[in-house]
Amino acid sequence: MKVSVQAVAVWGKMAPSHNITAIMITDDQQTIVTGSQEGQICLWDLSSELKISSKEILFGHTASVTCLAKARE
């Protein structure tokens, strides 16, 4: 079975001020999670029209976030 995946930009006309080093999308495809070189984890809402809006920025890591994984329930 062939699956088509559409590319999505996670910012508008200007790139974010942090350097994205990891990216993950949730199973329900409604949230994008990004990790940054500055140690931030950002949550983004993804609408069915593929419009992205910022949701939360999590601070606290002292090193780059280079990998993201989802936890099991």
Side-chain angles (χ1 to χ4, degrees):
M1 177 170 79
K2 186 175 182 178
V3 178
S4 176
V5 178
Q6 186 171 4
V8 177
V10 294
W11 55 83
K13 294 181 179 182
M14 296 187 62
S17 59
H18 60 274
N19 298 307
I20 294 174
T21 52
I23 189 167
M24 180 184 78
I25 190 164
T26 57
D27 289 338
D28 63 7
Q29 297 182 350
Q30 294 182 358
T31 304
I32 295 174
V33 183
T34 59
S36 74
Q37 188 173 7
E38 293 77 19
Q40 302 164 350
I41 295 175
C42 302
L43 304 178
W44 307 82
D45 282 327
L46 178 61
S47 73
S48 58
E49 297 84 27
L50 298 180
K51 294 186 187 231
I52 298 170
S53 58
S54 60
K55 184 175 180 178
E56 294 181 59
I57 299 177
L58 309 173
F59 298 91
H61 289 85
T62 57
S64 296
V65 177
T66 58
C67 182
L68 294 167
K70 58 184 176 180
R72 295 183 186 179
E73 292 183 17

